[in-house]
Amino acid sequence: MSSPSLTPSSLESAWILPSRGRVGMFCLIAAESAMFTIFLVAYIFYIGKSQSGPTPKEVLEVPIFATICLLSSSLTIHFAVAALRNAKSSLFAIWWFLTMALGIIFLVETGREWHHLIFESGLTISTNLFGTTYYSLVGLHAFHVTVGLIGLTIGMILALLGKVKQEHHERADVFSLYWHFVDVVWIAVFTVVYVIGR
Amino acid sequence: MRRTRHRALVQGIAGLFAVSLAFLLLATSQCFGAPANPSPTNIFRPSSTPADEVFHISIFVLIIAALIFAVVFCLLVYSLVKFRRGPDDDGREPPPVYGSNQVELAWTVLPILIVLVLFLATARVIHSVEDAAKPPAAVAVIAIGHQFWWEFRYPSVGIVTANELHVPVSDPAHPTPTYIELRSADTDHSFWIPRLAGKTDLIPNRTNSMWIDPHEVGIYVGQCAQYCGTQHAKMLLRVYVDTKEQFDRWAREEAQPARVGDTVNQGRRVFETTACINCHAVSGTVADGRFGPDLTHLMSRDTIASGAASNTHENLRLWIHDPEAIKPGSLMPAMQLSDQDLDAVTAYLETLR
Amino acid sequence: MSSDSIALNPALESTRPIGDRLHDWVTTVDHKKLGILYILYALVFLVIGGIEATIMRIQLIVPHNHFVSPQVFNEMFTMHGTTMIFFVAMPIMFGFANYLLPLMIGARDMAFPRLNAWSFWLAAFGGLLLYFSFIGGNGLYGAGGAPDVGWFAYAPLTARVFSIGHSTDFWTLGLLVSGIGSIGTAANIAATVLCLRCPGMTLGKMPLLAWMNLVMAALVLLAISPLTAAQIMLSLDRYLGAHFFDTQAGGSAVIWMHFFWIFGHPEVYVLVIPAFAFASEIIPVFSRKPIFGYPVMVAATVAIGFVSFTVWAHHMFTVGMSSYANSFFTISTMIVGVPTGIKIFNWIGTMWGGKIEFKTPMLFCIGFLFQFLIAGLTGIMLAVAPFDWQLGNSYFVVAHFHYVIVGAILFALFAAFYYWFPKMSGRMYNERLGKWHFWLFLIGFHLTFDFMHIPGLLGMPRRIYTYEPGRGWDIWNLIITVGVFFQAAGILLFVCNLLWSRIKGPVCTSDPWDAWTLEWSTSSPPPEYNFAAIPVVRSRRPLWDIKHPEDPDWKYE
Ligand code: HEA
Ligand code: HEA
Ligand code: CUA
Ligand SMILES: [Cu+2]
């Protein structure tokens, strides 16, 4: 052989590297955080700069119920993953379903809020700078919740088909990272839109 | 045999680099006010305090950069020549060297020191130009950027004019600087007269400012330096630095409404019944459009269309007939006037002194 | 396993029907094929972008030229800048990373092969979308109109009122789509480097190329996303009537600048760090010495990565920031010079005491070193805010960044092409043609971009389609344009060399340069699975250890 060969030799200690699923997910989260940061900065920058009404104070109501739902869904998905790790498939399905339900409630609440804003308060994305920044920031977040819900639904279907086994807990865990991220972003969005901006 | 080829190669590299460097030096020396190159926009021929300050710091930076370049370049060439593989090479690998902490430390600390020096010198200039106190004798001008022309207003004397800015010369003993407030009517622009000051942008929804204090009378040219659309290239800028007396006379004249004789009634009627007045103002008449340049004292200007053409009879007529012929992409439409009306309007405009 | 033997045997490969082979390429998830696809795709765009540059230069060769209209000129520089940055420089770097990383860290593929293919096709689609504007810019039936807003597309020129038609939409969507692809690739690169290293290859024993690509990936993740966010906002403005950058409804033009440059500045390091990576692999091999100061090189790269996020507003010295902001961005920008300088010194330190061999890849690396030095120093001049008030948006800036991008990055890329061509094709390139390419391109480069500094100093702004005679700019513009033809000739030779050598070049061994990293331990071109057995390494130069068992590296590191 012309090329020198590197044959495996016994390595003293085991060779352990991080899981690529987790690393990949952390990369995605890093990128998404940068993106949300830009939207948040835009929101903060434009607070109070609208040239016409309505203002946040006049039309925004604090979505406490939806927030509680979304935040508690972080807990439920955590329990779901823990259940799967311990090979309790049906317990996993229950917690997973609860997570989904809480996510859906959150989306529905957002939808109702938007309906109210558009048809009663007359605020659309083109009304003023508040409308522009509000719908795009909250909308971007709602989009991420929707993507998460699609993932949850797929997981749910697989679980109902009995395809989710203990060996999949790693994947469920990676997915839950995404869901936690969506929740954490909501805390930032909530603070900026409903606390600082109102 | 191999030695000669390698040496030729190394000499080639060094030679070419040296030649290109020599060219660069020669060319830069051209910039430094050599009579062979009377460029009216040479940043190395300042004639106003802000440009002066920039000039001094830039020379300082150039020298430091040249020194760094010389040192690193010599190191590079030396190692290329000294450590090239010789013809009678024995094929053995040179001794490996993995690094050296002392050396690394040296070439970290030295650049940090250089950077600090550069920064302190720079910060001083930034402060002295940007935070200069405005003397009471200062002239105040508002410059508004339009696609693709300049509007100038002197709020204290009620003058509105276009494209050619008049300012008084500033005697260092009794400075009469001009403070310019910069705004934009549409997109971003940038106000740049290289011999008077660095550039500052004109941005919609934002008010910027800059100042100049020209030391010598004369005409200083420049142009818009921020891409603003199709005709960004022909958004030229002229600053007339007048003596105090000239400037006062000019200001008195400009503040007057238009003196329109009745020899040009026909042209005036065409002007006032066509769309011209939607976009142009002639003070003292019904024309009060604001979209295009104020024409009240059109004939006091040397150029039209923001320096795109000199202000002659032919150019004026051609401009009104077909602005695209002079400045494709300008926002003034061709008005489709008959030859007769065209002559009349031109004649009318030519009375606006 | 038939497919493996095919990959190993070029003769057999060529007997398969062309349709099958094409199908293989389109559906491939193999990192080597995707890498080559990225590279070829970028080369095509390099020629397109180069032709656009040539059109601009012909227009500017004399004052008052009428070669193209102002409208077309504006479209040309917009498309040239956008193409070169997003569809030449980035994909070509991704291509090399794709091809080389698994081979250099002893892995069989990237971490996510299918994501890899998906990212490539997204990037390709983005490029097509951008170029579709030539046809669809004014609506499908109108004559074409490419975007004409400049590559940083300052607001409010991109607002509906100032940019009628769809050209700007194509620009936005093209960058949005390819940006998502870039984020995918970056995640892939990071996961590959972190999770697939062969046994023994600790972080401190990775080739520098892997380190630098890791930093590049981090920059892409954190820098492209702000651009994506800004493009989403711009699309909302244009399609749904939002007002982010609509100055007539109170939107801000300046915030677009901030968003763009918070992306734009790290972006230039995204491009230059892989170029550093090539130099860091090639210079040691042709100097016959290990890289000088490996840990410091790593630290300097990471430092550049961090600092690059704090300097963006040096592109905005003329927008009227306060004296404090201007001072801050002056110092933060200059600080970047320190780690960058360390790198230059370390490369020289690597050559010092070596036995330098002037093969084509090394020649290009020397060009890279020399030109990057000058380009960095003009960068320092621009970083001096008051100097930038004069130089900003003038041809001096254009000269600065072409000096970096062409003089440094493109030179390093050519070095990489010649260096790894034998590995990728299994054949040797023609050394003579390579040297011709080097000298022609060098001459052309210096003619064009050395002299481009001067009109800048003489007050010539960028992005003007014509100029008055008698401003002292004429002669320089003439020389600049002449240089372009030398560059084009050089690039033409390069393309010929690649094509000819691919078919007719002498077959080469697996390790033609007597190099030290893992990619040279497998055959040229490598089999589909890269390594028959996953290697185990003990030092940064595993092949050195094998070739010199009496004096292995791992004893010292
Ligand atoms: C792709 C690569 C790239 C790289 C690597 C760089 C590197 C640098 N750039 Fe450049 N730059 C661009 C691409 C790049 N740039 C582009 C594309 C634009 C214009 C965009 C547009 O407007 O269209 C631009 C514009 C630009 C501007 C804005 C000009 C303007 O528009 O007004 C500035 C201002 O500060 C700047 C500065 C710098 C500096 C300080 C570095 C530094 O990183 C350089 C560091 C290197 C060195 C300093 C040399 C080596 C060091 C030593 C030998 C040690 C000793 C040195 C010292 C102590 C100083 N660049
Ligand atoms: C990767 C980045 C990159 C690269 C490689 C280049 C390469 C070149 N650029 Fe580019 N340039 C930019 C990025 C780049 N540029 C950017 C970002 C801008 C700012 C845009 C803006 O303002 O918005 C810019 C702007 C810019 C301008 C300023 C325009 C203006 O402000 O008015 C000019 C003017 O001379 C120019 C010239 C050139 C030239 C001559 C080359 C040459 O090096 C090109 C050499 C290549 C060729 C000549 C093609 C080679 C091949 C052939 C010709 C063979 C063809 C035939 C067959 C194969 C069949 N560029
Ligand atoms: Cu106004 Cu460019
Ligand atoms: Cu920058």
Side-chain angles (χ1 to χ4, degrees), chain B residues 64-65 68-69 72 107-116 118 199, chain C residues 81 85 89 151-152 154 260-261 264-273 276 304 311-318 329-330 332-345 369 371-385 387-394 396-398 400-406 408-409 462-463:
Chain B
I64 292 199
I68 297 176
F69 173 80
V72 183
W107 63 43
T108 310
V109 172
L110 216 66
I112 290 183
L113 294 180
I114 300 177
V115 163
L116 271 181
L118 280 176
K199 59 183 76 62
Chain C
I85 300 282
W151 87 280
F152 41 77
Y154 273 3
F260 189 89
W261 291 119
H265 188 82
E267 167 72 10
V268 306
Y269 292 101
V270 166
L271 305 183
V272 87
I273 287 178
F276 293 166
I304 291 176
V311 305
W312 76 91
H314 66 213
H315 297 273
M316 299 164 58
F317 282 141
T318 62
F329 286 106
T330 294
S332 66
T333 303
M334 286 189 201
I335 289 286
V336 184
V338 176
T340 318
I342 293 176
K343 278 173 179 296
I344 293 198
F345 297 131
L369 272 179
Q371 279 127 213
F372 184 63
L373 171 65
I374 297 183
L377 292 173
T378 56
I380 296 297
M381 296 172 199
L382 291 168
V384 173
F387 206 178
D388 184 83
W389 294 335
Q390 287 286 17
L391 298 176
N393 268 337
S394 77
F396 191 91
V397 173
V398 181
H400 156 70
F401 70 74
H402 284 91
Y403 232 98
V404 206
I405 294 183
V406 180
I409 298 178
R462 64 196 282 200
R463 296 174 162 181

Side-chain angles (χ1 to χ4, degrees), chain C residues 425-498:
Chain C
S425 69
R427 288 167 188 277
M428 203 56 183
Y429 63 85
N430 183 315
E431 186 70 38
R432 218 187 153 81
L433 271 182
K435 293 228 163 87
W436 268 98
H437 168 204
F438 172 73
W439 289 109
L440 271 177
F441 199 74
L442 189 79
I443 293 170
F445 168 80
H446 283 282
L447 277 179
T448 298
F449 296 112
D450 289 3
F451 295 103
M452 203 181 257
H453 293 89
I454 297 159
L457 299 174
L458 296 181
M460 177 169 172
R462 64 196 282 200
R463 296 174 162 181
I464 56 173
Y465 77 98
T466 193
Y467 50 92
E468 304 277 315
R471 305 276 300 263
W473 305 342
D474 313 14
I475 175 74
W476 309 120
N477 276 294
L478 180 71
I479 300 175
I480 293 168
T481 303
V482 169
V484 177
F485 296 100
F486 283 85
Q487 292 184 55
I491 293 187
L492 216 55
L493 276 189
F494 163 70
V495 172
C496 293
N497 198 352
L498 288 195

Side-chain angles (χ1 to χ4, degrees), chain B residues 112-260:
Chain B
I112 290 183
L113 294 180
I114 300 177
V115 163
L116 271 181
V117 171
L118 280 176
F119 169 68
L120 291 178
T122 307
R124 196 197 62 77
V125 176
I126 295 178
H127 175 72
S128 81
V129 174
E130 264 196 282
D131 303 337
K134 180 173 173 174
V139 178
V141 182
I142 301 176
I144 305 172
H146 294 257
Q147 276 183 326
F148 307 98
W149 60 280
W150 304 90
E151 176 177 343
F152 297 117
R153 292 163 172 262
Y154 297 69
S156 53
V157 278
I159 297 174
V160 181
T161 178
N163 298 333
E164 295 174 1
L165 177 67
H166 286 252
V167 301
V169 68
S170 177
D171 171 8
H174 308 278
T176 48
T178 303
Y179 273 69
I180 310 173
E181 198 179 299
L182 302 160
R183 299 186 201 155
S184 164
D186 36 48
T187 66
D188 303 336
H189 305 273
S190 196
F191 188 97
W192 189 25
I193 306 284
R195 293 191 58 200
L196 297 184
K199 59 183 76 62
T200 310
D201 294 355
L202 299 81
I203 299 168
N205 288 348
R206 184 186 173 102
T207 305
N208 277 335
S209 69
M210 62 181 286
W211 60 281
I212 51 177
D213 62 341
H215 303 324
E216 293 162 52
V217 293
I219 299 176
Y220 296 83
V221 297
Q223 68 193 81
C224 176
Q226 183 66 272
Y227 178 61
C228 51
T230 316
Q231 261 303 355
H232 161 63
K234 288 197 181 169
M235 189 163 164
L236 307 174
L237 189 52
R238 298 161 76 90
V239 174
Y240 289 69
V241 176
D242 304 332
T243 60
K244 189 86 189 71
E245 300 72 44
Q246 276 173 333
F247 177 74
D248 287 339
R249 184 154 9 97
W250 175 84
R252 251 194 326 277
E253 287 281 312
E254 286 290 305
Q256 306 292 322
R259 283 169 307 232
V260 186

Side-chain angles (χ1 to χ4, degrees), chain C residues 305-377:
Chain C
F306 274 107
V307 181
S308 72
F309 280 98
T310 64
V311 305
W312 76 91
H314 66 213
H315 297 273
M316 299 164 58
F317 282 141
T318 62
V319 306
M321 294 187 295
S322 73
S323 53
Y324 296 103
N326 280 335
S327 305
F328 171 79
F329 286 106
T330 294
I331 179 87
S332 66
T333 303
M334 286 189 201
I335 289 286
V336 184
V338 176
T340 318
I342 293 176
K343 278 173 179 296
I344 293 198
F345 297 131
N346 275 318
W347 288 317
I348 296 180
T350 305
M351 298 193 292
W352 198 273
K355 290 184 177 175
I356 304 170
E357 214 177 341
F358 294 99
K359 289 272 170 46
T360 310
M362 189 61 183
L363 286 182
F364 274 105
C365 278
I366 296 167
F368 156 84
L369 272 179
F370 172 71
Q371 279 127 213
F372 184 63
L373 171 65
I374 297 183
L377 292 173

Side-chain angles (χ1 to χ4, degrees), chain A residues 150-187:
Chain A
I150 294 174
L152 284 168
T153 313
I154 295 173
M156 197 68 224
I157 293 173
L158 290 176
L160 290 179
L161 294 176
K163 293 234 165 93
V164 182
K165 304 269 165 50
Q166 187 187 7
E167 68 256 32
H168 298 122
H169 84 262
E170 166 95 33
R171 289 193 193 182
D173 191 40
V174 168
F175 178 83
S176 77
L177 285 178
Y178 174 82
W179 192 255
H180 291 313
F181 166 72
V182 171
D183 281 3
V184 172
V185 168
W186 179 250
I187 297 178

